[in-house]
Amino acid sequence: KAGVTQTPRYLIKTRGQQVTLSCSPISGHRSVSWYQQTPGQGLQFLFEYFSETQRNKGNFPGRFSGRQFSNSRSEMNVSTLELGDSALYLCASSLDWGGATEAFFGQGTRLTVV
Amino acid sequence: QQQVKQSPQSLIVQKGGISIINCAYENTAFDYFPWYQQFPGKGPALLIAIRPDVSEKKEGRFTISFNKSAKQFSLHIMDSQPGDSATYFCAASKHGGSQGNLIFGKGTKLSVKP
């Protein structure tokens, strides 16, 4: 059974640009959550999608957005990139939403903003 | 506000020894407590998890001890091996509904010396 797949693995962007990251959950999983990991702040929750609807949102500015497609694949978008957005962005998939089932993480996308 | 406090930040253990990592939480509504293991360049991998209706759960060399009254839980790694060298994260969540996201501790970097 394939795990959570995130693409691309690495990205370098310039301040002010926007970026789109992709996540394909484990087959049969319908919930996708996104987390940002930095050395200073650790792992912080961005948002969760289930059945194409955002079910939960963390404390991040509106520049961070996401969506989920009918096949459960999810994308997150960051607009007007700032240097502080440099981080490892992790996607986690679950069978159900709201923490009801175990979450499995992908390898992440390493975003560097220069 | 850091809802899950993890200690120590780093830990050095000799091969064959016991590694102990502690976490404390604040929100008494939390009802799911997983531990994740993360190797460099990889996403966090679910190691073991516990719910508050039990005080201990063991899976192989890994044991979670849970103290509901003290709002603390800990990970014990018995017979620690060099291959266990990684960063360990505790987490907590309240399952069900729009607050079910994982709240992570800051992580413990474990080094097991041969």
Side-chain angles (χ1 to χ4, degrees):
Chain A
K1 196 173 187 181
V4 180
T5 303
Q6 291 189 243
T7 56
R9 289 293 313 278
Y10 302 93
L11 267 177
I12 300 176
K13 290 285 187 179
T14 304
R15 258 186 314 176
Q17 286 186 314
Q18 73 166 16
V19 67
T20 299
L21 313 181
S22 179
C23 172
S24 293
I26 293 170
S27 178
H29 284 196
R30 296 170 61 196
S31 168
V32 173
S33 297
W34 289 88
Y35 290 81
Q36 181 195 66
Q37 185 175 26
T38 59
Q41 298 300 316
L43 283 147
Q44 293 186 290
F45 171 72
L46 281 154
F47 29 64
E48 178 179 20
Y49 286 87
F50 180 84
S51 292
E52 302 177 66
T53 302
Q54 187 181 90
R55 303 293 179 139
N56 192 3
K57 188 177 188 305
N59 190 26
F60 277 82
R63 300 185 297 107
F64 292 81
S65 62
R67 60 177 175 169
Q68 187 180 35
F69 302 95
S70 58
N71 61 357
S72 296
R73 190 178 71 85
S74 177
E75 289 181 348
M76 69 163 280
N77 183 276
V78 188
S79 62
T80 319
L81 284 166
E82 301 177 358
L83 295 178
D85 296 334
S86 294
L88 181 66
Y89 289 89
L90 293 158
C91 158
S93 83
S94 304
L95 277 169
D96 202 350
W97 72 285
T101 54
E102 295 170 340
F104 298 90
F105 284 83
Q107 294 199 81
T109 294
R110 171 73 63 185
L111 172 65
T112 301
V113 182
V114 297
Chain B
Q1 183 188 12
Q2 186 182 352
Q3 296 191 54
V4 178
K5 293 184 179 179
Q6 183 172 347
S7 63
Q9 268 189 307
S10 62
L11 182 61
I12 300 174
V13 173
Q14 290 297 124
K15 179 183 175 182
I18 302 173
S19 303
I20 302 174
I21 304 171
N22 301 298
C23 282
Y25 62 97
E26 299 170 3
N27 189 344
T28 55
F30 287 150
D31 57 6
Y32 176 62
F33 303 89
W35 284 89
Y36 284 84
Q37 177 190 57
Q38 186 176 29
F39 292 104
K42 303 289 186 182
L46 181 62
L47 200 58
I48 186 172
I50 198 168
R51 296 196 185 270
D53 52 343
V54 297
S55 59
E56 187 174 281
K57 181 175 181 180
K58 184 176 181 179
E59 289 184 2
R61 296 185 295 110
F62 301 92
T63 299
I64 298 180
S65 296
F66 183 80
N67 186 328
K68 188 173 181 178
S69 61
K71 295 189 286 184
Q72 294 176 347
F73 58 111
S74 60
L75 175 69
H76 291 63
I77 306 174
M78 311 300 287
D79 188 27
S80 299
Q81 299 296 313
D84 296 330
S85 297
T87 300
Y88 293 80
F89 294 93
C90 63
S93 70
K94 174 186 178 305
H95 100 273
S98 62
Q99 299 297 316
N101 55 283
L102 293 165
I103 308 293
F104 284 90
K106 293 288 191 183
T108 296
K109 186 172 183 179
L110 171 65
S111 295
V112 181
K113 300 299 184 185

